[in-house]
Amino acid sequence: MSKLDTKLKIAIQKSGRLHERCVRFIESCGIKFPKNKSVLKAEAHNFPMQFLFLRDDDIPACVAEGVADVGMVGLNEVEETAENVDIVKRLGFSKCRMSLAVPKNMEYNGLQDLSGKTIATSYPRILQNYLKENQVEARVHQISGSVEIAPSVGMADAVFDIVSSGSTLMSNGLKEIKPTVLKSEAVLIANRNLDTEQQAILDKLTFRMDALLEAQNFKYLMFNFPTTSKEEIVNIIPGLKSPTIVPLSNSNWSALHSVVEEDVFWDKIDNLKSAGAEDIIVLPIEKIIR
Ligand code: PRT
Ligand code: ZN
């Protein structure tokens, strides 16, 4: 295949919790493709990429076997399937945790209390490894869904599942056990034997993803301040390099433009106001390329 014909095949979830987020993420990277729920394959209009729409459980194996070159999937699926793939990047969305939970009224003082018990899960491999690491001898009962009802129907004593807000556990009379077993989020995975052309396209893709991920941590900040406070203000807000200061038509006042980490902004807001900052505007940033 000539260099011009090479396309990077990316597997994303066909429908479900990850689908929409992955589509939005790819589109924010400037990649356009037709969206038709009934097709299982699509070509990008403006990037050498072909999309395969699959069940999330199948994505790690497809990437390991080279059916797809890369994939976007939950880290939980990558860990559970233990397929031979590279985790290229954490994507920062679909964050959740994998936890054990027991009935609210069960006395629980530590993992050893699960010895001899039955634990229901759709993630037997992650659970088995965790129990082994912690030397807990429990029986793992694999079910494919509705894990949280297992204790109330007498199928298991405890459960191991994905938790996000915790409300599903609560409404099924279960309490989450800390610490969390695995912190998961969507990840970009890749086949371990990409050729140079495929790798070059993947590098272009990750360059765009980095610009997006970097921007998510920062905000564009603008405000007016009395010109006499310039030194104080610049010390509070150093910016990526150095903030831009623009004189206003009333020379007693200036405006500052800067890019700041969101956390830093909230830490500094009181200091800024005491230094005379007014009309503070904070805007999201779409991309940052360093
Ligand atoms: O059909 P397909 O096999 O492709 O999809 P699926 O049904 O297996 O997966 P799907 O679409 O439900 O989830 C895809 C991925 O989203 C998961 O593999 C996780 O990486 C991620 N994710 C993020 C979640 C959740 N949050 C989540 N809350 N996956 C599932 N849940 C479920 C969980 O199983 C439990 O039943 O939500 C419930 C808990 O939510 P809370 O908010 O009540 O705690
Ligand atoms: Zn699935």
Side-chain angles (χ1 to χ4, degrees), residues 114-137:
L114 295 177
S115 291
K117 300 273 198 282
T118 299
I119 309 171
T121 188
S122 314
Y123 293 88
R125 186 173 189 279
I126 298 174
L127 177 59
Q128 296 274 21
N129 286 344
Y130 184 73
L131 294 174
K132 200 166 160 202
E133 268 165 33
N134 289 283
Q135 289 144 22
V136 177
E137 297 233 353

Side-chain angles (χ1 to χ4, degrees), residues 13-18 54-57 73-77 94-96 123 148 161-169 184-186:
Q13 192 188 30
K14 183 175 178 335
S15 61
R17 281 189 170 81
L18 276 174
L54 304 171
R55 280 201 60 191
D56 69 344
D57 315 49
V73 68
L75 179 63
N76 49 300
E77 289 299 333
S94 289
K95 287 190 176 175
C96 55
Y123 293 88
E148 292 92 346
D161 199 10
I162 291 174
V163 185
S164 179
S165 65
S167 67
T168 309
L169 290 182
S184 184
E185 67 189 90

Side-chain angles (χ1 to χ4, degrees), residues 36-59:
N36 175 345
K37 285 256 169 201
S38 60
V39 299
L40 300 177
K41 249 173 150 185
E43 303 268 334
H45 300 308
N46 58 350
F47 197 80
M49 186 174 258
Q50 188 179 58
F51 293 83
L52 308 181
F53 300 104
L54 304 171
R55 280 201 60 191
D56 69 344
D57 315 49
D58 298 329
I59 291 176

Side-chain angles (χ1 to χ4, degrees), residues 11-272:
I12 65 174
Q13 192 188 30
K14 183 175 178 335
S15 61
R17 281 189 170 81
L18 276 174
H19 174 81
E20 206 48 52
R21 297 298 308 270
C22 290
V23 166
R24 251 189 288 144
F25 195 81
I26 292 280
E27 285 181 331
S28 303
C29 290
I31 298 170
K32 297 192 172 74
F33 60 99
K35 271 161 283 162
N36 175 345
K37 285 256 169 201
S38 60
V39 299
L40 300 177
K41 249 173 150 185
E43 303 268 334
H45 300 308
N46 58 350
F47 197 80
M49 186 174 258
Q50 188 179 58
F51 293 83
L52 308 181
F53 300 104
L54 304 171
R55 280 201 60 191
D56 69 344
D57 315 49
D58 298 329
I59 291 176
C62 282
V63 171
E65 288 157 15
V67 174
D69 305 314
V70 296
M72 290 165 93
V73 68
L75 179 63
N76 49 300
E77 289 299 333
V78 183
E79 294 285 323
E80 181 60 28
T81 52
E83 293 288 351
N84 196 15
V85 293
D86 279 337
I87 297 175
V88 180
K89 197 167 285 303
R90 285 181 172 252
L91 300 174
F93 59 84
S94 289
K95 287 190 176 175
C96 55
R97 54 193 189 272
M98 302 204 69
S99 297
L100 285 154
V102 296
K104 252 190 288 192
N105 53 10
M106 174 178 153
E107 202 192 325
Y108 178 85
N109 298 306
L111 275 179
Q112 284 309 328
D113 290 355
L114 295 177
S115 291
K117 300 273 198 282
T118 299
I119 309 171
T121 188
S122 314
Y123 293 88
R125 186 173 189 279
I126 298 174
L127 177 59
Q128 296 274 21
N129 286 344
Y130 184 73
L131 294 174
K132 200 166 160 202
E133 268 165 33
N134 289 283
Q135 289 144 22
V136 177
E137 297 233 353
R139 204 166 69 82
V140 173
H141 183 88
Q142 183 176 354
I143 50 174
S144 58
S146 306
V147 170
E148 292 92 346
I149 62 157
S152 64
V153 297
M155 192 192 278
D157 305 296
V159 301
F160 173 63
D161 199 10
I162 291 174
V163 185
S164 179
S165 65
S167 67
T168 309
L169 290 182
M170 220 194 300
S171 58
N172 283 284
L174 299 168
K175 60 182 176 193
E176 186 176 354
I177 290 173
K178 294 284 177 188
T180 294
V181 174
L182 177 78
K183 281 193 178 153
S184 184
E185 67 189 90
V187 290
L188 178 71
I189 55 172
N191 178 274
R192 293 208 161 132
N193 301 305
L194 296 185
D195 64 27
T196 8
E197 277 110 49
Q198 290 164 330
Q199 186 61 49
I201 304 172
L202 175 57
D203 291 346
K204 273 192 190 168
L205 176 68
T206 54
F207 178 81
R208 294 183 185 198
M209 286 180 167
D210 285 343
L212 214 67
L213 292 169
E214 179 81 0
Q216 282 170 3
N217 298 323
F218 289 88
K219 298 284 171 206
Y220 194 87
L221 172 68
M222 297 185 279
F223 58 82
N224 298 329
F225 63 92
T227 307
T228 48
S229 306
K230 180 175 157 188
E231 211 171 311
E232 194 182 350
I233 291 277
V234 171
N235 282 335
I236 301 170
I237 298 287
L240 278 183
K241 284 201 174 61
S242 153
T244 307
I245 309 275
V246 205
L248 298 192
S249 54
N250 172 349
S251 64
N252 293 334
W253 284 85
S254 300
L256 176 142
H257 290 219
S258 187
V259 171
V260 290
E261 274 184 77
E262 183 159 27
D263 294 350
V264 171
F265 166 74
W266 288 115
D267 285 348
K268 306 268 170 100
I269 185 76
D270 290 337
N271 295 352
L272 283 176

